[in-house]
Amino acid sequence: MVAHLLWIVAVYGLAVALVHLLHARHRKSVGVGKVRRKHYVLVTSNHERQVEWYLRALSWYALLSGTRIRVTVLDDQSHDLTLKIVSRMTHLSGIELVYGQLRSSKQGDQQHEDLQDQEIIQIDLRNPLEAARIPYVQV
């Protein structure tokens, strides 16, 4: 009886080790280890009706794909509540969210942090077709 139980535990342990080995090999062959996170830079202007959905879509994408995502929202002189909505969304899980005005010098410093270990995706939402580049968003 004990011998059977030991065999079951040994086979289970080997199966777990094999799965981890195959997963590590797959990640290495695909090159997943090279990009540690994605950095979305969203340029907005009067997008109060859409910005919440865009941020929620990125949050869902991060949670479902297991990708670390940083989102920088740069606003180009909105006359609506775009930045106020973005500021209320900083609690979203799965993403690191920063925001500010497009023309301030502070954002330039934020955009160039740790460029070597992240993929930067700049999306200018002032062009309506650009929103399709956000995961789970269709135009």
Side-chain angles (χ1 to χ4, degrees):
M1 175 83 170
V2 174
H4 291 291
L5 187 59
L6 288 176
W7 274 105
I8 291 171
V9 170
V11 169
Y12 179 76
L14 286 173
V16 168
L18 181 63
V19 167
H20 282 285
L21 179 70
L22 291 174
H23 181 67
R25 178 184 261 178
H26 173 72
R27 287 178 58 93
K28 186 176 181 181
S29 69
V30 175
V32 174
K34 294 178 185 174
V35 176
R36 298 176 197 254
R37 69 175 169 180
K38 291 185 179 183
H39 184 174
Y40 284 87
V41 179
L42 305 179
V43 180
T44 62
S45 181
N46 297 320
H47 284 88
E48 71 180 359
R49 292 184 178 202
Q50 299 94 358
V51 74
E52 181 177 356
W53 167 242
Y54 296 155
L55 295 174
R56 288 193 187 278
L58 287 168
S59 175
W60 274 101
Y61 173 70
L63 292 171
L64 294 176
S65 69
T67 305
R68 290 181 51 208
I69 293 183
R70 179 177 186 177
V71 180
T72 302
V73 177
L74 300 176
D75 189 66
D76 186 19
Q77 302 174 351
S78 288
H79 300 293
D80 61 5
L81 300 175
T82 300
L83 280 181
K84 188 176 267 191
I85 292 169
V86 172
S87 71
R88 286 186 287 183
M89 308 276 307
T90 57
H91 71 280
L92 280 176
S93 57
I95 63 173
E96 176 187 343
L97 179 61
V98 294
Y99 61 93
Q101 295 293 325
L102 179 63
R103 306 226 188 277
S104 86
S105 60
K106 189 176 181 182
Q107 280 86 20
D109 297 337
Q110 290 174 350
Q111 288 180 22
H112 298 296
E113 293 176 357
D114 303 323
L115 294 180
Q116 65 274 11
D117 58 338
Q118 60 182 302
E119 176 185 353
I120 298 177
I121 303 152
Q122 185 164 349
I123 301 174
D124 190 346
L125 295 172
R126 296 172 296 184
N127 177 357
L129 298 178
E130 288 276 313
R133 296 178 49 209
I134 300 173
Y136 307 129
V137 174
Q138 295 181 358
V139 182

